[in-house]
Structure formats: C-alpha cells, structure tokens
C-alpha cells in the first residue's frame, strides 16, 4: 500500500502513530495486526530495516518470522480470533450470494466501527479496507467508487477474501460504467469516456469498458453524422430532407440526441425554412432588374439573423444583389444618364466586399457626369476630377484612359465649334470650309461620330444648293403636260446623279412624269378595245390591248383587268351554248350536264338570268322523267330525282317525292289488331213504373 492508494481526504499523517484512546480499530501492542502481517509494537530496529529492504513501500505481509515482539494478552486473543477468521473465510468463500456477503459482514464486524478517514492504511487490515471500500462505494459517485477500488485491488491474489473482493471490484466497475453512461446519455461523451478510462486496466471488466466506449463513440458518430447531414440540407434549402434526417435522431440510443438535439434541430429547421421563404422572395424580386425591387430584395436578405443557418447564404445574396445594382448603374452610365447611375450607386448598402467598387464607380462617375456636358469647361472639370483618383484604386487605369480621351475630345470640340461657326453662314464656300475643318478630326477620336454626322449634313446642304436648280427647271417644263415637255423635264432631272442629296426626289418626279407619258400614249388603245367589246368583238378587244397588259407601263393593270373580264364573257357564252345543245337531248345525263355548264355562267353576266330560268326548266324535266320511271322501277326514279340541284326551285318538291318512293319500297309494318275481349254491355232494364 502506497500513499497514492490512500483515498482523498483520508490523512496518512493522522494515522502514523496509533492512538489507543481514539475510537478506532484497536492497535495491538505486540504481535501482528489481523491480516496485514505487519507488527504493531515491540519490533526492533533490525526487523524494521529487514522489512524496508524486503518491501520499500512499507508493506510486509505474512512475515511473522521476522517480527521480534513480546506477545500480550490482547495479542494472543487476536491471534486466536485470526485463526478462527481464516477458517470462517475459507468456508464462506464456498457460500454463494447474499448469505455469504452477510456472513462476511458479520465476521468482519469489528468491536467498534472504524474511522475510515483516520486510518493509517499501510497498517490497515483487509477487513478494514473492505469495510471502508464498501462505505465509499455506497455513495455511488465516480470518485468514491474509484476510492473503493483503490482500497482493495492491491490486496494479494491469494488472499482468502480475493473472490469476494473481485466480485465487488466488478460490481463497482459496472457502477462506474453506469455513471459514465449517464454522462453519455446527458450529452457529455468526453466525460463519459474519461470516467470509463479511470477504471483500472488490470480488472476483468476492462473488456466491457472498451466495448462500452466503442458503442458510445459509434452512437455519437452516427448521431453527429445525421445532424451534420441535416445542416447540409438546410444550407441547400432542402427542408423535407432535413426534417427526415431530424426524425432519425428519435431512434438514436442516446437521450441527449433523441430529445435535446432533436428539439434543437427541429426548431432550427423551422426557423431556416422561414428564412428560406424570405430569401426566395428576395431572389424573385431581384430578377426584375428594377432598382426598387432589388433594394427590397436586399432588405429581405438583411433580415436573416447571424444565428440562422442561411445567414451565410443571405450574405452571399446581398453581395450579389449589390453587384446587380452596380451593373444597373453602369448600364445607365453607358447611356450617358449619369444622374440616375450615381443615384443607384449611392443606394447600394455598405458591403465590405463591394464598398471599394462602389466608391470607385462614384468617383469616376462624377468625372463622367462633368464630361457628358460636351463643352470644353465640362471636359476640363472631368479631367481634373479623374486626376484625383489614386493609383491604388481599381479604376485608376480606366480613369487614365478617360483622361486621354477627354483631352482629345477637347481638341475635337474646338474644331467642331469652329466648323459650325463657318457652316452657319450658309454659302457653298463656308460649308466647304466647315467640311474641311471637321475632316481633320480622326475617326478614332471621341467626337469622330459626331463630326461625321455634321459632315454628312453639310454635304447635303452643298449638294442641295447645287442641284436644286435642275429640279426647279424640270418642274417648270413639266407644267405643259404634253409628252415632249414631260420628256424634256425628265432629261433635266436626270442630270442629278445617284450619289447626290436630291437624287431620291428627282427619281420620284421622273417616275411621275414617265407615267403621264405612258398614259397619254396607251389610253387610245384601251378606248379602242372597249369599243370593240361593246360591239361584241371580244377577241378583237383583247388583241388590241394585249401588248399593254404584258408590259410594265402605267396602264398595264387596267388592261389586264379588262382582258380578264372579256375572257370570262367569252367563256360564259361558250358554256351557255353547250348547255342549250345538251339539254335538247332531254335525257337525264344530258340534262344534268346542261345544268352543270349553265351554273358556270358568272353572276355578273347578262346571260345568268337566262341560265337560271333554264336550270329550273331542266330540273322539272328530270322530275317528270323520274315520275315516269317510278311506275316500273322506283329505285331508278329515286336516283334520277336525286340529280336535281339544290339551286333549283323544285328541289324541295323532288325531295318529298323521294321520301314517298322510299316508303313504298320499305313500308313500315302495320300493328296487329287484337280481338276485343271486353264483356258485352249489359242490357238496359226498363225503369219500374211508379
């Protein structure tokens, strides 16, 4: 027994010198203690030295031969008691269960209860150790159970009480594991493992300890995996998957994960789902690309609190919304709407990862706003503002490029102002001088496009001044409105070439005058053709204007229309004559064909009235033929009557006749006449006379 085996709070110093007057276990004056084998008194220096040499820790067990003492009465009595104790101990090891324990307790009961904290453990007997260990273990705390184990585990393996001690050691080890499991169930895995590891490794329960720790770690790892997977699903806004993973925690063999962590995760999911709805609304708002909607989207995303699982996602969206606003601002700046662009940029929230870009945009935008005025003073102000942008800023290079561009633009503005002053005089020489001035502006300069527009405008003015006299003279000549005058006017206007400003106007006049000439030339032919048509010579009329109809002259469409009408009249006449010839045969087939040809006569032809009258007559003939056929062949009569067209005025009469003939072919069965089975009427009796 060493000092580290002494329970905490139990003083070794207090037990160094036995005090027989204390209420503690009696300390023998001579001989050996009950079971320790260590002499209590009466030993000489030689025996002490030999004992220390054999056992440096101060424990000497069963070394009776080396002790030198004079036995006293109490020593003799204790020796006798020891012998009887050994006998009983051997017997009791054979008695199982609680009977053995009770017997052992009675046997080990000392005359007075030992004061365990005051015992000098190197000299304590096994019975005292076991008694004090049981007292400590009864407190059922890890500390006390470990103290109980420490008191008895160092006893020799061949000790008579070893079997009972081993049973207690296993029981106390299991008690420690049970307490460790309580820590595990309450959510403290490290404490549970640390507690289990305090069980001495040389005990038989060590394998159980390892198994229990492995089980705890497996359960904990599996529960943590479920929780982390649910968190991952939350960040992806997969609510249903997160709820299903949370439900799995209810089946985990750990109260902490099945209750506390489950409830915690459930609350987190509900909160995250609400936050997710806010973010969905924000994303939909931002899609509109309207500044106010994007600002509302940012406000919704900013409402997500830092403790939310979607806080990081919200921060990412806020940054994205801010960049979207910056793009909207840049779009307005590209449209030279600097006021709107700067207004949008200043509404962007203060974001750490974006603020520098916003500040740079505003700094450069202010300079661009000055430059957009387009005058020299505005450009000079823009250059001054851009020159204040430090080299460390991200837009420094862009600012330098704009400065160089604005410096060139100042030169361009000066040339444009000079050219405009010259062109304002309105003469050909002044306009030519203005054109020469703007041609000095290179096509790569900022104002090159503006210079090109001015150049085109002044060239148009010059050409108009030069060519307008040709057009004016042509119009004066065309007033005479005869073919010679019109041709002269056309020749005058044709002097304006295709690359001149008045070319389109001249071509329009030329087309107008050319049409007049063609109408003057072709109208007599149309009049002659109409006269031929009125006299009945339709082929002659068509031949007269066929050349005009096939040309691209002014009256070509009018000629085509006339020819189409006359050709229709010729076709109508031919069809009418054929119909009359066929109807003369008076057969069903010839009458049907005559009706078909008569129906082809156009409605606006004067022959149409005669054709309609003839169709009614020929339909009447078909019905008469059908009536004659019905006397011998009703089916044939029906086929003939069905040839009468709908346009005929006897069509309904023919259909009624067809129904009558069909009834004759397929008469409906008449109902059977049943005999009258009613009783005959009673004879009326004469009334009795009064």
């Amino acid at each position: 027994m060493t000092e580290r085996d002494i329970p905490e709070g139990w003083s070794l110093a207090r037990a160094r010198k036995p005090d027989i007057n204390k209420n503690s276990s009696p300390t023998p004056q001579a001989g050996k203690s009950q079971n320790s084998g260590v002499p209590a008194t009466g030993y000489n220096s030689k025996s002490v030295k030999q004992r220390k040499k054999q056992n440096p820790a101060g424990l000497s067990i069963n070394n009776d031969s080396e002790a030198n003492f004079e036995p006293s009465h109490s020593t003799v009595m204790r020796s006798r008691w020891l012998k009887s104790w050994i006998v009983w101990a051997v017997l009791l090891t054979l008695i199982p269960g609680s009977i053995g324990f009770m017997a052992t307790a009675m046997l080990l009961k000392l005359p007075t209860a030992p004061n365990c904290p005051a015992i000098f453990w190197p000299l304590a007997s096994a019975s005292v150790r076991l008694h004090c260990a049981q007292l400590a273990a009864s407190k059922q705390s890890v500390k006390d159970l470990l103290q109980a184990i420490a008191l008895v585990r160092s006893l020799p393996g061949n000790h008579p009480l070893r079997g009972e001690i081993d049973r207690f050691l296993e029981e106390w080890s299991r008690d420690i594991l049970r307490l460790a499991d309580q820590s595990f169930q309450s959510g403290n895995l490290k404490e549970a493992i640390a507690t289990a590891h305090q069980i001495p490794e040389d005990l038989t329960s060590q394998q159980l300890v390892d198994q229990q720790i492995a089980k705890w770690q497996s359960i904990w790892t599996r529960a943590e995996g479920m929780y982390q997977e649910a968190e991952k699903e939350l960040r992806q806004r997969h609510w249903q998957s997160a709820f299903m993973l949370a439900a799995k925690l209810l089946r985990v063999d750990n109260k902490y994960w099945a209750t506390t962590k489950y409830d915690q995760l459930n609350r987190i999911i509900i909160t995250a789902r609400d936050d997710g709805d806010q973010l969905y609304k924000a994303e939909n708002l931002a899609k509109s690309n309207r500044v106010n909607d994007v600002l509302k989207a940012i406000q919704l995303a900013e409402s997500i609190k830092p403790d939310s699982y979607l806080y990081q996602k919200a921060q990412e969206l806020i940054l994205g919304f801010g960049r979207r606003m910056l793009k909207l601002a840049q779009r307005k700046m590209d449209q030279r709407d600097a006021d709107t662009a700067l207004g949008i940029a200043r509404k962007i929230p203060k974001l750490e990862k974006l603020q520098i870009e916003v500040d740079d945009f505003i700094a450069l935008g202010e300079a661009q706003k000055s430059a957009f005025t387009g005058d020299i003073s505005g450009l000079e102000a823009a250059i001054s503002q851009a020159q204040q942008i430090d080299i460390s800023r991200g837009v420094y290079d862009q600012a330098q490029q704009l400065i160089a561009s604005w410096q060139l633009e100042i030169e361009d503005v000066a040339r444009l102002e000079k050219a405009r002053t010259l062109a304002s005089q309105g003469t050909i020489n002044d306009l030519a001088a203005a054109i020469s001035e703007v041609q000095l502006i290179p096509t790569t300069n900022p104002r090159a496009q503006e210079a090109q527009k001015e150049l085109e405008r002044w060239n148009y003015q010059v050409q108009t001044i030069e060519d307008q006299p040709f057009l004016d003279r042509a119009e004066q000549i065309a007033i005479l409105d005869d073919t010679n005058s019109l041709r002269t006017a056309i020749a005058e206007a044709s002097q304006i070439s295709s690359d001149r400003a008045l070319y389109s106007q001249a071509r329009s006049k030329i087309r107008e005058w050319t049409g007049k000439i063609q109408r003057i030339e072709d109208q007599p032919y149309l009049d002659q053709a109409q006269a031929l048509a009125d006299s009945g010579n339709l082929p002659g009329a068509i031949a007269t204007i066929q050349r005009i109809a096939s040309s691209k002259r002014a009256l070509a469409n009018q000629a085509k229309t006339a020819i189409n009408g006359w050709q229709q009249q010729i076709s109508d006449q031919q069809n009418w004559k054929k119909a009359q010839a066929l109807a003369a045969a008076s057969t069903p087939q010839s009458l049907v064909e005559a009706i078909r040809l008569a129906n082809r006569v156009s409605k606006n032809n004067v022959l149409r009235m005669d054709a309609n009258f003839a169709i009614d007559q020929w339909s009447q003939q078909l019905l008469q033929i059908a009536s004659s056929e019905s006397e011998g062949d009703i089916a044939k009569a029906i086929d003939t009557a069905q040839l009468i067209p709908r346009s005929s005025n006897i069509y309904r009469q023919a259909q009624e006749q067809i129904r009558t003939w069909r009834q004759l072919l397929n008469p409906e069965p008449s109902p059977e006449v049943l005999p009258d089975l009613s009783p005959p009427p009673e004879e009326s009796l004469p009334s009795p006379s009064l």
Side-chain angles (χ1 to χ4, degrees):
M1 181 69 176
T2 62
E3 291 190 14
R4 66 171 178 267
D5 295 324
I6 299 173
E8 183 180 348
W10 294 2
S11 172
L12 177 62
R14 293 174 58 189
R16 290 292 186 187
K17 185 177 180 180
D19 187 356
I20 59 175
N21 296 322
K22 298 285 184 178
N23 291 329
S24 60
S25 300
T27 305
Q29 297 297 320
K32 296 180 289 185
S33 63
Q34 293 179 0
N35 287 316
S36 66
V38 180
T41 60
Y43 52 82
N44 55 26
S45 59
K46 179 179 178 182
S47 64
V48 172
K49 291 180 181 179
Q50 291 175 343
R51 183 166 61 253
K52 287 184 177 179
K53 182 177 180 181
Q54 294 171 357
N55 190 349
L59 295 178
S60 177
I61 302 174
N62 294 329
N63 290 334
D64 294 344
S65 62
E66 296 183 3
N68 183 14
F69 60 90
E70 294 180 1
S72 63
H73 175 72
S74 61
T75 302
V76 173
M77 294 299 294
R78 192 170 297 278
S79 176
R80 292 176 180 174
W81 181 87
L82 175 60
K83 292 177 181 179
S84 62
W85 183 89
I86 292 172
V87 174
W88 280 102
V90 172
L91 291 174
L92 289 176
T93 55
L94 303 177
I95 303 175
S98 59
I99 298 175
F101 175 79
M102 292 176 63
T104 303
M106 293 178 64
L107 181 63
L108 296 178
K109 185 176 181 182
L110 299 177
T112 57
N115 183 9
C116 294
I119 293 175
F120 180 57
W121 294 109
L123 303 179
S125 65
S127 60
V128 171
R129 288 174 179 275
L130 186 57
H131 174 74
C132 290
Q134 289 175 311
L135 288 177
S138 65
K139 298 178 182 179
Q140 287 296 296
S141 70
V142 174
K143 177 181 177 182
D144 293 318
L145 288 166
L146 289 171
Q147 290 175 349
I149 291 172
L151 281 174
V152 298
R153 65 184 285 262
S154 61
L155 292 173
N158 58 357
H159 195 280
L161 294 178
R162 191 70 228 181
E164 191 70 14
I165 289 171
D166 287 343
R167 186 176 65 82
F168 278 122
L169 288 174
E170 183 177 353
E171 178 185 340
W172 296 338
S173 297
R174 289 182 179 275
D175 288 341
I176 293 173
L177 277 180
R178 177 179 52 78
L179 294 174
D181 188 67
Q182 291 177 2
S183 297
F184 169 72
Q185 293 294 335
S186 64
N188 198 332
L189 174 64
K190 290 183 179 180
E191 180 181 302
I193 294 174
T195 300
H197 275 316
Q198 293 182 64
I199 298 173
E201 296 182 357
D202 58 343
L203 298 183
T204 58
S205 59
Q206 186 58 41
Q207 184 179 1
L208 181 61
V209 171
D210 295 338
Q211 292 175 354
Q212 188 65 38
I213 290 175
K215 179 182 178 182
W216 291 337
Q217 290 174 331
S218 174
I219 293 172
W220 197 274
T221 300
R222 187 160 55 89
E224 278 185 334
M226 295 175 187
Y227 199 97
Q228 291 169 1
E229 189 66 24
E231 290 178 319
K232 181 180 177 182
E233 293 297 313
L234 283 180
R235 294 186 180 93
Q236 298 297 321
R237 291 185 279 184
H238 299 161
W239 318 125
Q240 187 64 29
S241 299
F243 273 120
M244 293 177 65
L245 287 166
K248 290 183 178 181
L249 291 176
L250 294 172
R251 298 189 292 273
V252 172
D253 189 15
N254 180 277
K255 293 180 181 178
Y256 172 72
W257 284 101
T259 56
T260 304
K261 295 298 285 185
Y262 168 76
D263 293 339
Q264 176 188 355
L265 183 56
N266 227 24
R267 289 192 299 270
I268 288 172
I269 294 173
I270 293 172
T271 303
R273 184 175 60 183
D274 295 339
D275 292 344
D277 292 340
Q278 293 290 87
L279 292 185
Y280 279 127
K281 291 178 182 177
E283 288 174 314
N284 289 330
L285 277 172
K287 289 177 181 178
S288 69
N289 283 331
R290 291 191 291 266
V291 175
N292 290 337
D293 288 344
V294 179
L295 284 172
K296 290 178 182 178
I298 291 174
Q299 292 174 355
L300 286 173
E302 287 178 336
S303 67
I304 307 301
K305 298 179 180 179
D307 59 350
S308 172
Y309 272 79
L310 295 181
Y311 178 75
Q312 186 60 38
K313 181 65 176 179
Q315 294 303 302
E316 293 174 2
L317 288 176
I318 291 171
L319 182 61
F321 297 155
R323 292 194 182 280
R324 184 167 297 180
M325 288 189 67
L326 197 57
K327 288 182 180 179
L328 294 175
Q330 185 61 57
R331 188 180 303 171
K332 289 296 182 181
M333 189 65 74
D334 294 340
Q335 297 170 359
R336 301 178 72 86
D337 187 358
D339 290 332
T340 302
L342 292 170
I344 294 173
R346 291 190 174 101
K347 291 179 181 179
I348 298 174
K350 303 292 183 182
L351 301 173
E352 182 180 353
K353 296 182 179 179
L354 190 62
Q355 193 57 43
I356 294 177
E357 295 179 43
V358 174
D359 293 342
D360 287 348
F361 178 86
I362 293 174
L364 194 59
E366 291 289 353
Q368 289 176 292
K369 178 182 177 181
S370 300
F372 290 159
T373 60
D375 53 33
I376 293 176
S377 61
L379 291 167
E380 290 175 344
I383 291 172
S384 176
Q385 290 171 308
Q387 285 174 338
Q388 296 176 16
I389 296 176
D390 190 80
I391 192 172
S392 62
R393 303 298 289 268
V395 293
Y396 176 78
D397 292 339
Q398 185 182 356
Q400 294 303 307
Q401 292 174 2
L402 287 174
I403 289 172
S405 175
W406 292 333
Q407 288 172 340
L408 290 175
E409 193 171 351
I410 290 174
E411 298 176 5
D412 296 344
V413 170
R415 291 188 182 279
L416 281 169
E417 289 179 356
K418 180 180 179 181
R420 287 181 179 126
T421 302
L422 290 169
S424 63
Q425 302 301 317
T427 66
I428 291 179
N429 291 334
D430 292 330
L431 289 168
I435 291 171
S436 298
E437 187 65 30
V438 296
Q439 285 176 338
L440 296 174
I441 299 175
T443 56
T444 57
N445 276 25
R447 292 296 182 97
Q449 187 175 0
E450 185 179 350
Q452 183 62 31
K453 289 181 180 179
E454 293 288 34
L455 181 64
E456 292 172 358
R457 183 168 67 88
W458 295 332
N459 272 324
Y460 183 87
Q461 292 180 8
V462 170
Q463 293 173 7
T464 300
I465 293 172
E466 292 175 343
D467 294 342
Q468 189 63 46
F470 296 104
L471 201 57
D472 292 341
R473 283 194 299 271
E475 289 180 339
Q476 288 296 323
I477 295 171
I479 292 175
L480 299 176
D481 210 20
D482 58 74
T483 57
N484 291 331
S485 299
L486 292 171
R487 285 190 174 93
T488 302
I490 290 172
E492 188 70 21
S494 296
Q495 296 183 56
I496 301 173
S497 61
S498 60
D499 60 341
R500 306 291 287 180
L502 296 180
Y503 176 75
S504 297
Q505 189 175 348
R507 294 308 303 171
S508 177
K509 287 295 182 181
I510 289 172
R511 285 192 297 271
E512 178 186 343
W513 297 331
T514 301
K516 282 186 178 182
I517 293 172
Q518 291 173 355
R519 280 190 290 272
I520 291 172
E521 294 175 342
D522 294 344
Q523 187 62 47
Y525 294 101
L526 263 70
D527 295 341
Q528 181 183 357
Q530 187 62 51
L532 290 172
D534 292 342
S535 66
N537 187 0
L538 296 177
I542 293 172
T544 301
I545 60 173
Q546 187 68 54
R547 179 182 59 82
I548 298 173
S550 60
S551 69
K552 294 183 179 180
R553 295 172 69 81
L555 296 180
N557 288 335
Q558 187 176 345
K560 288 177 183 178
T561 301
I563 289 173
N564 290 336
W566 295 333
Q567 287 176 339
Q568 182 63 48
Q569 289 183 34
I570 293 172
S571 177
D572 290 345
Q573 291 173 359
Q574 292 173 347
N575 288 330
W576 174 237
K577 289 180 180 179
K578 289 180 181 179
Q580 289 176 316
L582 287 169
S586 298
T587 64
Q589 291 76 17
S590 63
L591 290 171
V592 169
E593 183 63 18
I595 291 172
R596 185 184 68 81
L597 290 172
N599 269 327
R600 295 178 64 177
V601 176
S602 59
K603 293 181 180 180
N604 56 356
N605 195 307
V606 294
L607 297 175
R608 184 65 203 187
M609 184 177 296
D610 294 339
N612 289 339
F613 182 76
I615 289 171
D616 291 338
Q617 285 186 334
W618 297 336
S619 298
Q620 185 67 44
Q621 284 183 285
L622 285 172
L623 185 58
Q624 291 174 356
I625 294 172
S627 297
S628 300
E629 291 173 342
S630 66
E631 295 177 1
D633 190 346
I634 295 178
K636 185 177 181 181
I638 292 173
D639 292 340
T640 301
Q642 285 179 334
L643 298 175
I644 298 173
R646 287 180 177 272
S647 59
S648 172
N649 58 1
I650 64 167
Y651 175 75
R652 289 189 177 182
Q653 181 183 350
Q655 293 299 311
E656 291 176 359
Q657 186 62 60
I658 289 170
R659 283 194 292 271
T660 301
W661 287 336
R662 283 176 175 168
Q663 288 176 357
L664 292 175
L665 288 175
N666 301 297
E668 295 181 1
S670 58
E672 291 186 18
V673 179
L674 298 176
D676 187 6
L677 300 179
S678 58
E682 295 182 1
E683 295 183 359
S684 57
L685 297 175
S687 301
S689 58
L690 296 177

